[in-house]
Each structure stands twice: as C-alpha cells, then as structure tokens.
Amino acid sequence: MAQQIEQLLQSNKVWQGSQWQHSHLDVHSSGFAQLDQQLPNHGWPQGGITEVLYEKHGIGELQLLLPALAKLSQQSRWIIWVAPPFMPNAPALQQHGVDISKVIVIRPEQCSDALWTIEQALKSGSCSAVLGWLDGLDLKASRRLQLAAEQGDCLSYLFRPLQQQQQSSSASVRMALHPSKSPEHINYHLLKRRGGAPLYEQHIPRLN
C-alpha cells in the first residue's frame, strides 16, 4: 500500500495540503487585513472558486468583495454578474471604486443556462471576475467550474443558499455568512480553505 501511495504522489495527480501552503499561487487581496491572513496565500484565489453561502440577501455578501472588485475593474477584462437576484446598484459600486463600465449583467432564464454561462465566462479568458448566483450545484458541476476558472485565470464567486453547505464542493474557499447582531459587522465562518482548518465565529467591519 505504501508503494502504491508513493506512486500516486509521484504522478502529480494527487493534491496535498502542504503543496498549497507553500506554493506561490496568485491571489487578490480581499481588502480586509484579518480576512487576508485567514485565506490561503492571503487573498482570494486567482483561477479558483470562492463559494459564499448565506441565509438571506443583504447581510454583507457583496461588501466582502467590493475592495477586490474595485481593483479588478482597473484591468482591461470584464466583471460579469450571472443571475443576480437584483440589479447592481451602480452608484454604490462607483462609491467603492468599481468602474461600472467593466461590469456586465447576464440574466439567464433557467438554472442550467446560468451554469453554462458561468462556465463559458470563466474559461473565456476575457473576464477578471465572474459572480454567479446558483440555487443548486453538484460536485461534478463544481469541478467543471473550478477547471474553467483555472483555464481562464479568473476569480469566481458563487453565491449559494446556506442550506447547501453540507454538499461536497471543489471550491478553493467556502464561507458561510450569518446575520450579525451589530449592523457594523459582517459575520462569517470559513468552512473550507485549502491548506488550513475551518474557522468559525469571525467578523469584520462593514464598509462605509
């Protein structure tokens, strides 16, 4: 058995947590010092999927991303929103430094169309970030999206219902958001972060 495991390790088909911890993968700062220290390689993974699971809209799920989106919007590539439950608030995005001329909103009619759109946008190479809202995502589809993000060298944020947190996922980072007792804080749990143990009961300040 030991020999078989060693052969697998040498085949480069097996990922080890220590490889993530010591690799130099590209990341983008979240804009929150505390969160950066907790994320793999200290930022949102470039070419990787980040899942944000939340109980209800408006508890800070977009505020977590605004600093990164502001920097990404300075690139020549697009930031695509797929199936958001609301129209993005353009003045609010501009207030936080997001160049809205780089933002494209796509509203597919079917969930399967949303999944296809996200995958195509990720692997196109023309996007710096893709934000997608999905009611359901199985492990096979999750793997496809992870590969598409790697192919397109793109950040991806998937927003999913909190009750799906027990489902398996290929995402590099999974975080759950819960309503905060303080309107000034965003409460989050890091359910998954490659190369590190989960972290619970964390909070960061909301942006002004």
Side-chain angles (χ1 to χ4, degrees):
M1 177 64 71
Q3 183 178 1
Q4 292 174 328
I5 293 176
E6 183 62 27
Q7 288 175 346
L8 282 172
L9 294 175
Q10 295 300 324
S11 71
N12 293 322
K13 295 181 180 179
V14 175
W15 173 85
Q16 293 178 275
S18 59
Q19 293 173 349
W20 180 278
Q21 289 176 313
H22 301 294
S23 62
H24 297 284
L25 299 177
D26 289 337
V27 297
H28 285 269
S29 171
S30 69
F32 300 93
Q34 173 184 309
L35 184 55
D36 279 351
Q37 288 300 313
Q38 297 166 346
L39 291 170
N41 286 54
H42 308 306
W44 302 122
Q46 176 84 16
I49 300 291
T50 295
E51 284 191 9
V52 181
L53 301 106
Y54 58 105
E55 294 184 15
K56 60 181 182 180
H57 304 306
I59 60 175
E61 67 274 16
L62 285 177
Q63 287 224 354
L64 281 171
L65 314 184
L66 284 175
L69 294 181
K71 290 187 176 180
L72 290 168
S73 71
Q74 304 308 309
Q75 298 182 9
S76 60
R77 300 195 294 172
W78 301 103
I79 297 174
I80 293 186
W81 300 43
V82 181
F86 48 80
M87 282 301 294
N89 186 321
L93 292 177
Q94 289 178 308
Q95 178 184 344
H96 289 95
V98 179
D99 181 355
I100 61 173
S101 71
K102 302 293 178 55
V103 175
I104 297 177
V105 179
I106 303 175
R107 291 182 171 276
E109 294 185 0
Q110 304 294 330
C111 181
S112 58
D113 295 335
L115 181 61
W116 181 87
T117 302
I118 293 169
E119 183 178 6
Q120 297 306 309
L122 285 174
K123 66 183 182 182
S124 69
S126 62
C127 301
S128 60
V130 176
L131 287 65
W133 283 257
L134 294 170
D135 291 332
L137 185 70
D138 59 29
L139 182 57
K140 182 178 179 180
S142 176
R143 287 172 177 163
R144 284 193 359 235
L145 294 183
Q146 176 65 37
L147 291 174
E150 294 174 4
Q151 181 179 336
D153 193 31
C154 179
L155 276 78
S156 179
Y157 302 99
L158 300 182
F159 300 91
R160 302 178 60 191
L162 184 63
Q163 59 265 32
Q164 296 181 11
Q165 65 179 307
Q166 300 302 324
Q167 295 182 356
S168 299
S169 171
S170 293
S172 303
V173 173
R174 299 188 86 198
M175 65 187 339
L177 303 187
H178 301 280
S180 173
K181 295 180 181 179
S182 169
E184 298 178 354
H185 290 153
I186 300 172
N187 281 0
Y188 66 93
H189 294 173
L190 278 170
L191 303 173
K192 176 184 177 182
R193 49 177 187 152
R194 286 185 177 176
L199 286 175
Y200 298 96
E201 300 297 337
Q202 307 289 312
H203 69 267
I204 53 178
R206 283 179 177 265
L207 301 174
N208 295 325

